[in-house]
Amino acid sequence: MSGLDPKKAQLLSIGWILIEQGKIINNSARHILVHAESGAGESTKVHGLFDAEIAGAKSVASALMSLIKLIPDSILVFHHAPIDIQFLQTAARDIFRTPLLFSYMDTLAIEQSRMALQGKQKSLRLPECRKRYGLPPSQEHNALTDAIATAELFLAQIHYLTNSTNPKLNQLPLESS
């Protein structure tokens, strides 16, 4: 993202990795750079994407179409879902004139609920959440590395919450866009 406001900023990349039967499928990882007319701007300092990398990259429509193909058989997992969803929905409405419909889970919301149940107030940033589950540090602010870090956190949370590596959907806090 070239900023945090979807009305002013643009998607610069989309990343994902699949989880199947409680396991991360490494060869499913995708990182799609998105061409942005206005360039990366000051956000280069955050995610390290430069104008030269996104010049000539895929269109937002093409990147979204790659993601859309996965949605019918998937539940999307985000860390701090509202930001990512706002960007995806803004792009979908701009391009397709309709929002994307999908089910999702938010690892930040899961952690927030867990902290509230325990009467604790701790950071909900991805690195701190990962650290609480004994996960190693990960690179931040790259769509793919964030997707992998979120997938690992999600699996750790699910194992903690259900004491299972292959929980049933009715055991999970599922939401819909």
Side-chain angles (χ1 to χ4, degrees):
M1 297 173 226
S2 62
L4 295 177
D5 183 349
K7 293 176 185 164
K8 298 176 184 172
Q10 294 179 285
L11 283 171
L12 299 177
S13 67
I14 297 175
W16 66 80
I17 191 161
L18 299 180
I19 300 171
E20 293 179 357
Q21 299 185 0
K23 295 181 181 171
I24 294 173
I25 309 300
N26 287 325
N27 65 2
S28 70
R30 294 282 313 269
H31 187 225
I32 300 174
L33 298 179
V34 176
H35 178 77
E37 292 298 328
S38 60
E42 291 294 312
S43 66
T44 293
K45 296 174 188 170
V46 176
H47 48 63
L49 290 175
F50 292 93
D51 291 349
E53 293 173 272
I54 57 174
K58 289 190 172 200
S59 67
V60 176
S62 175
L64 285 178
M65 287 304 296
S66 295
L67 179 63
I68 288 169
K69 290 176 185 171
L70 298 174
I71 287 176
D73 299 324
S74 302
I75 297 169
L76 305 185
V77 179
F78 301 94
H79 189 79
H80 199 218
I83 288 180
D84 291 324
I85 290 173
Q86 285 178 2
F87 272 90
L88 291 173
Q89 298 296 25
T90 298
R93 284 188 190 101
D94 289 348
I95 295 164
F96 306 122
R97 306 286 177 229
T98 186
L100 302 176
L101 300 176
F102 54 86
S103 298
Y104 69 93
M105 289 189 235
D106 186 345
T107 55
L108 186 148
I110 293 169
E111 195 66 8
Q112 193 171 32
S113 295
R114 186 174 85 97
M115 291 291 110
L117 287 172
Q118 295 176 348
K120 296 178 181 175
Q121 288 187 333
K122 294 189 175 184
S123 171
L124 296 173
R125 294 185 65 235
L126 183 57
E128 284 78 17
C129 292
R130 289 176 52 83
K131 189 175 181 181
R132 282 193 284 276
Y133 292 89
L135 296 169
S138 65
Q139 287 187 328
E140 287 185 79
H141 305 303
N142 168 290
L144 179 57
T145 59
D146 283 355
I148 294 168
T150 299
E152 291 171 344
L153 173 61
F154 177 70
L155 291 176
Q157 288 176 321
I158 295 308
H159 183 72
Y160 177 85
L161 293 170
T162 66
N163 202 20
S164 170
T165 56
N166 198 15
K168 305 290 182 226
L169 278 178
N170 64 2
Q171 295 177 281
L172 305 177
L174 188 62
E175 300 183 46
S176 295
S177 66

